[in-house]
Amino acid sequence: MATLPAFQFESLSVPETGAAVLFVDKSLTLGGVGQSLDEKSGGAIGRAIPAADFKGDFCKTIRILAPAGADLDQIVLVGLGDEALSERDFAALGGAAMGAVKGLKSVMVVAEANGKEIDAATASLIAMGMKLRAYDFDLYKTEKGKPKEAAKAAKVTILAADAEGAANIWETDDAVSNGTILARDLVNEPANVLGPKEFAAKAKALEELGAEVEILKLADLEKLGMNALLGVAQGSVRKPRVAIMKWMGGFNDEAPLVFVGKGVVFDSGGISIKPAAGMEDMKGDMGGAAAVTGLMHALCQRKAKVNAIGIIGLVENMPDGNAQRPGDIVTSMSGQTIEVINTDAEGRLVLADLLHYSKETFKPRFMIDLATLTGAVIVALGAHNAGIFSNSDALCAQLSASGAATGETVWRLPLAKEYDKMIDSKFADMKNTGGRWAGSITAAQFLKRFVGDVDWVHIDVAGTAMDAPKTEISQGWASGFGVRLLDRLVKDNYEG
Ligand code: BES
Ligand code: MN
Ligand code: ZN
């Protein structure tokens, strides 16, 4: 993992060393600590604003180097724009601030907007945005091109009116940041390093945070009859695993929330092999499993008052002499038979057995699965919304609200019997592809055949978890999408 800054919270004061960060809107009025800093530096801030043509636009920054009269290395102004700011905006502002001070040893962030105090929760959100922005995945860059560790490991002090309140909230937000960063790390790791066994070990490590983790191996999966999942794995020399992570922080008799993740550590397509161009991206085909693991990390670390179970199917989809063939028919754990038309539609085969197993074993309050399931969802929604599919309007509404709050937004796509018909098979109960059209929906219809009447949402994160565009809080290829979304869903609706 990349070296990340350490955060601390202190009461409001005028920063004296290091870099100081101030937030101002388009009125460009300083006030409060900013005013004092400006006076101390002989009006350096007031002069720099027009000189740098800084207008206070949202997330725009200027840097004033070595201001006279102060012992500061620099003063950074971050623009608030002139519109009402939501939670996700404050995280983005933290990200923008980190972008301007990255690599500095000591950063003092003044939690004021135009000199008016920022509340504790918002101060913590700024820290979260900063931490997520500071992440990069440089594990495999050898020393030469790599920034010096010491310079990168900045100390960030947030100066806030309610420093104690902010520090308390940060304990929770930091757990969620760490979960997001864990998910990013898992997705960014190459498949030669992170196979099913290695991923399972990362899940097992959650025991250090108080989770109860069980790893099912090949013989266990055979015994359970998870033949749909096993069919995908059979072309790889690396054996599959299923990891079950339990956090029982709720009441004894409370039905658990179950999160299911697609963990295809590499998806070559199998015998229906993918084209060479871009195939390297398929190391990220475990983005769903990574989000589930990151979420469980967050819930454990922040000791969420909820019963939650994460279950991930870890397999590699490879072509070899023992690989599954198009035309093969497998009997899933549920007893339903599946004709494998295309071995590249493997994610749904993995999830089918996990969903059935979860429904039977855990008697869940709901099941939410996350999967980099279809290229078609990228065609439909790009990188800015995950597709959701569900049998529960209420759960969709909750998820949409969590998406809007965190910025990990989701958009619902339909399910209907006309789409379901598209996966009927001539030879078996169903086939694993539904043809060219509505590819994300027919994939979801396939999953729906394994959830029974449990409340369920499928989140297709193919466009959002990996190969993500740069944002103020995510600079890397992996975004960690899903961790903040689902943590928020739990926090707002299912705790205490
Ligand atoms: N892992 C892919 C989907 C994917 C594509 C994820 C691009 C991330 C980026 C999935 O297993 C897959 O290959 N889906 C096929 C399904 C088709 C064969 C019915 C697809 O989307 O083309
Ligand atoms: Mn595939
Ligand atoms: Zn896949």
Side-chain angles (χ1 to χ4, degrees), residues 267 274 344 346:
D267 180 13
K274 288 181 180 293
D344 197 12
E346 83 298 339

Side-chain angles (χ1 to χ4, degrees), residues 262 264 267 269 272 274 281-282 284-285 317 342-348 371-378 432-435 439 442-443 460-463 466-467:
K262 168 180 174 182
V264 177
D267 180 13
S272 315
K274 288 181 180 293
D281 285 356
M282 286 302 122
D285 207 19
N317 189 21
N342 188 320
T343 65
D344 197 12
E346 83 298 339
R348 66 199 74 183
T372 49
L373 204 63
T374 65
V377 86
I378 315 176
N432 76 331
T433 61
T442 51
D460 195 333
V461 293
M466 46 179 272
D467 194 17

